[in-house]
Amino acid sequence: MPFNPELCRNESEVESKLIVQYLLPQLGYTPDTWHQEVAIGSIRLDFLAFAAQVIPFVLDANSPLSVVMEAKHPKQNLNNHVPRLRHYLTSLNVRYGLLTNGKEIRIYQKSQYDIQLIFQCSGKEVESKLDKIKGLIGRDSLEEGQLVDKPEVQITENNLNLETKRQHSVKTIAIYHNKGGVGKTTVAVNLAAALRKKGKSVLLIDIDSQANTTFATGLIKFQFDEDDDLREQNVSCLLESSDFNFIPEIMRQSHYFNNPEIDVVPSHINLIDKQDTLTRIGVSKSRLILKLKNVEKNYDIVIIDTPPSRDYYAEVALIASDYLIIPSDLKPFANQGLPTVKNFLKQINEFRELMGKLPIKIIGVLASKISTNPKFLQYTFPRQRSVISERYGLPLMEAVIYDRTSLSECMNNTITVGDLEYPDPKSVTKYAESKTNAQQSAMEFEMLAKEVLEEIGVN
């Protein structure tokens, strides 16, 4: 099937429709010879393809028989991305690099400390120029070690500064514990609110079929099934295909929840019904990564509220996240679940490695729903805290979220209209603006937000 550049409306579609569905198969690369979102040190590559089967991070990065492929938004000027591609090829000693925005395709070759443009064509010409492209970066050509000695154009942008990381790198944080009732949703929504108040652009994703985060941010406004406006527009839609249903189409803004409001990808109880179908589509586990990449310049931080289980949706969330916070009330039942969390993370990190992603970084266990009883805090709580590192080998966060009535009050806040009472949940940050009894909890989340920003390196 010929490639049509008009079908590429964004960077994600350039990746999926041009590179994954068209170029890689046409150039002879099989799924075991190319890898997406490859991280090597501080460098993150969109695609890395090899002449032979290679397992990421068992590979020698200094491999000339490989090609880097970078995809950009159709509206972006490829000239702006040449310095970064030069850095990738010369730093990793990779011979070839392909740069495309769908409308234009360029191939560069490394020559010691610089790169040379050896081929370019429009997206509309790619089918007629396919033999030329195969001769340069096709799998068979790489295997044979064929070199192109005479480039068509010499790149001389030596005065441009090289970069070693993306100009804007969004940080994605999963809030996860396989034990329920530990304050996971409370942490997710109020941490998002506190970060937003600090001026950070935040996307909050609810991927739990209980949809507690969706409710807490004021998005469940319907009383009857026929008024349900989330059934066909929720987080599961992001996982059904790489070609449609992108975050801006699914995202809603929180409803009178915070000041300023937060962008939210809602959940729905029908996630349960869709789980078996999505599980059978192996590639669906990585689709959230692609959808997030498409909006990475829109947000500083993404927070994902996960289900308290080891199911498909928990896997999707952890595969897509850079960091992990584990809320826990530090009681025996919650602690007994920590080894299971660690084993689950080991499996997740194996999958991430196959994708070329670094292991998820554990920010720490967050003490939450902690009693404010003075004797408990004096005698029992210090022992509970010490167990986390001594017995379970996990870091413990400095912040503490105490079990205060204001936290349940703000989430269960209601508004009366006529004879009817409607849910009107608030973040504790906003609730504290009019309720003095919520100010202590708001301060605790402000301290949590400060610690998180320090841990993830966001100013």
Side-chain angles (χ1 to χ4, degrees):
M1 183 177 178
F3 168 69
N4 181 1
E6 299 302 322
L7 297 179
C8 293
R9 299 163 297 179
N10 50 54
E11 183 176 324
S12 178
E13 292 185 353
V14 173
E15 290 185 341
S16 62
K17 295 179 180 179
L18 175 55
I19 296 181
V20 174
Q21 297 175 20
Y22 186 80
L23 276 180
L24 287 168
Q26 292 286 351
L27 297 178
Y29 295 102
T30 53
D32 57 351
T33 60
W34 64 267
H35 307 281
Q36 190 169 5
E37 287 292 322
V38 178
I40 303 175
S42 62
I43 293 176
R44 290 182 178 271
L45 308 174
D46 289 346
F47 295 87
L48 188 58
F50 292 88
Q53 179 179 354
V54 179
I55 300 174
F57 296 102
V58 177
L59 63 88
D60 176 6
N62 297 312
S63 172
L65 301 181
S66 58
V67 55
V68 168
M69 296 185 180
E70 289 290 297
K72 304 303 171 188
H73 193 284
K75 292 184 179 180
Q76 289 194 10
N77 187 330
L78 294 184
N79 290 332
N80 298 333
H81 300 279
V82 171
R84 185 172 298 177
L85 184 66
R86 180 195 292 122
H87 174 65
Y88 292 169
L89 299 189
T90 56
S91 297
L92 302 178
N93 193 27
V94 173
R95 180 176 296 166
Y96 296 108
L98 181 145
L99 187 61
T100 181
N101 58 7
K103 296 180 182 294
E104 182 185 358
I105 297 166
R106 299 183 185 180
I107 299 175
Y108 292 85
Q109 179 185 328
K110 182 184 77 68
S111 59
Q112 199 170 6
Y113 302 114
D114 206 347
I115 60 175
Q116 299 170 321
L117 178 64
I118 58 175
F119 173 85
Q120 66 184 135
C121 72
S122 69
K124 294 179 179 179
E125 297 176 303
V126 66
E127 189 175 11
S128 63
K129 303 283 188 179
L130 194 56
D131 287 341
K132 176 69 172 177
I133 298 173
K134 284 182 180 179
L136 296 173
I137 60 171
R139 186 180 175 190
D140 290 341
S141 297
L142 287 186
E143 273 189 316
E144 294 168 6
Q146 294 176 352
L147 296 176
V148 177
D149 296 321
K150 295 182 179 180
E152 296 175 6
V153 181
Q154 174 72 41
I155 302 301
T156 58
E157 297 146 311
N158 294 321
N159 59 328
L160 294 178
N161 293 326
L162 302 182
E163 298 176 321
T164 58
K165 59 183 179 178
R166 296 183 184 274
Q167 290 181 349
H168 185 94
S169 180
V170 65
K171 309 293 186 180
T172 304
I173 306 169
I175 312 296
Y176 175 75
H177 196 311
N178 63 0
K179 170 71 170 63
V182 294
K184 184 170 55 62
T185 296
T186 300
V187 168
V189 299
N190 287 298
L191 173 58
L195 290 168
R196 187 73 185 93
K197 188 175 181 181
K198 285 183 173 291
K200 306 305 175 186
S201 51
V202 180
L203 175 65
L204 179 59
I205 299 177
D206 187 358
I207 199 167
D208 184 355
S209 62
Q210 296 180 74
N212 289 331
T213 287
T214 304
F215 174 85
T217 51
L219 297 183
I220 300 181
K221 302 187 288 290
F222 51 87
Q223 297 290 324
F224 304 100
D225 288 345
E226 56 266 28
D227 300 322
D228 182 352
D229 62 345
L230 300 180
R231 182 178 298 277
E232 305 301 329
Q233 292 278 300
N234 59 67
V235 67
S236 67
C237 301
L238 301 178
L239 311 176
E240 291 173 340
S241 172
S242 60
D243 296 329
F244 55 86
N245 287 338
F246 295 94
I247 286 174
E249 301 165 27
I250 304 300
M251 178 270 296
R252 310 285 183 94
Q253 199 164 71
S254 58
H255 193 69
Y256 298 112
F257 163 74
N258 196 57
N259 185 23
E261 299 288 356
I262 297 169
D263 289 353
V264 182
V265 173
S267 183
H268 195 278
I269 194 172
N270 70 1
L271 263 65
I272 298 173
D273 300 329
K274 295 184 176 183
Q275 180 164 319
D276 287 344
T277 301
L278 289 170
T279 301
R280 288 194 292 269
I281 307 171
V283 71
S284 68
K285 289 184 181 180
S286 60
R287 283 176 179 160
L288 183 56
I289 296 173
L290 295 176
K291 299 295 175 73
L292 285 172
K293 185 177 180 184
N294 195 42
V295 295
E296 66 181 352
K297 294 183 179 179
N298 299 349
Y299 300 103
D300 298 310
I301 299 168
V302 177
I303 295 178
I304 307 179
D305 187 16
T306 64
S309 62
R310 296 178 57 172
D311 66 3
Y312 165 84
Y313 294 113
E315 290 181 1
V316 168
L318 293 173
I319 288 168
S321 298
D322 307 304
Y323 301 90
L324 171 65
I325 294 175
I326 308 171
S328 175
D329 58 14
L330 306 189
K331 294 178 181 177
F333 281 137
N335 287 346
Q336 288 168 20
L338 292 177
T340 306
V341 172
K342 292 175 70 174
N343 289 335
F344 188 38
L345 287 178
K346 184 177 180 181
Q347 296 174 20
I348 294 296
N349 284 332
E350 288 176 358
F351 188 91
R352 291 169 64 93
E353 184 177 6
L354 290 174
M355 296 179 63
K357 290 178 69 68
L358 297 172
I360 191 169
K361 180 180 178 181
I362 302 175
I363 294 178
V365 174
L366 171 64
S368 63
K369 298 188 73 174
I370 302 302
S371 170
T372 56
N373 180 281
K375 289 188 176 180
F376 169 83
L377 294 176
Q378 182 178 0
Y379 298 108
T380 305
F381 187 46
R383 288 166 47 201
Q384 287 184 338
R385 288 177 61 87
S386 65
V387 162
I388 299 302
S389 57
E390 294 173 4
R391 183 177 301 174
Y392 299 102
L394 289 167
L396 183 70
M397 298 186 70
E398 291 295 325
V400 178
I401 304 302
Y402 292 94
D403 189 14
R404 304 184 191 276
T405 56
S406 57
L407 281 178
S408 59
E409 284 177 3
C410 66
M411 294 184 69
N412 293 299
N413 191 58
T414 60
I415 185 171
T416 302
V417 180
D419 296 330
L420 298 177
E421 192 173 60
Y422 291 92
D424 188 34
K426 308 290 182 190
S427 70
V428 73
T429 301
K430 184 171 184 178
Y431 198 64
E433 293 174 0
S434 58
K435 304 288 185 179
T436 56
N437 68 324
Q439 291 176 358
Q440 189 63 42
S441 284
M443 188 178 300
E444 288 161 12
F445 275 101
E446 183 180 348
M447 296 303 295
L448 172 61
K450 182 179 178 182
E451 183 176 353
V452 167
L453 292 173
E454 291 175 354
E455 287 289 336
I456 66 178
V458 175
N459 296 324

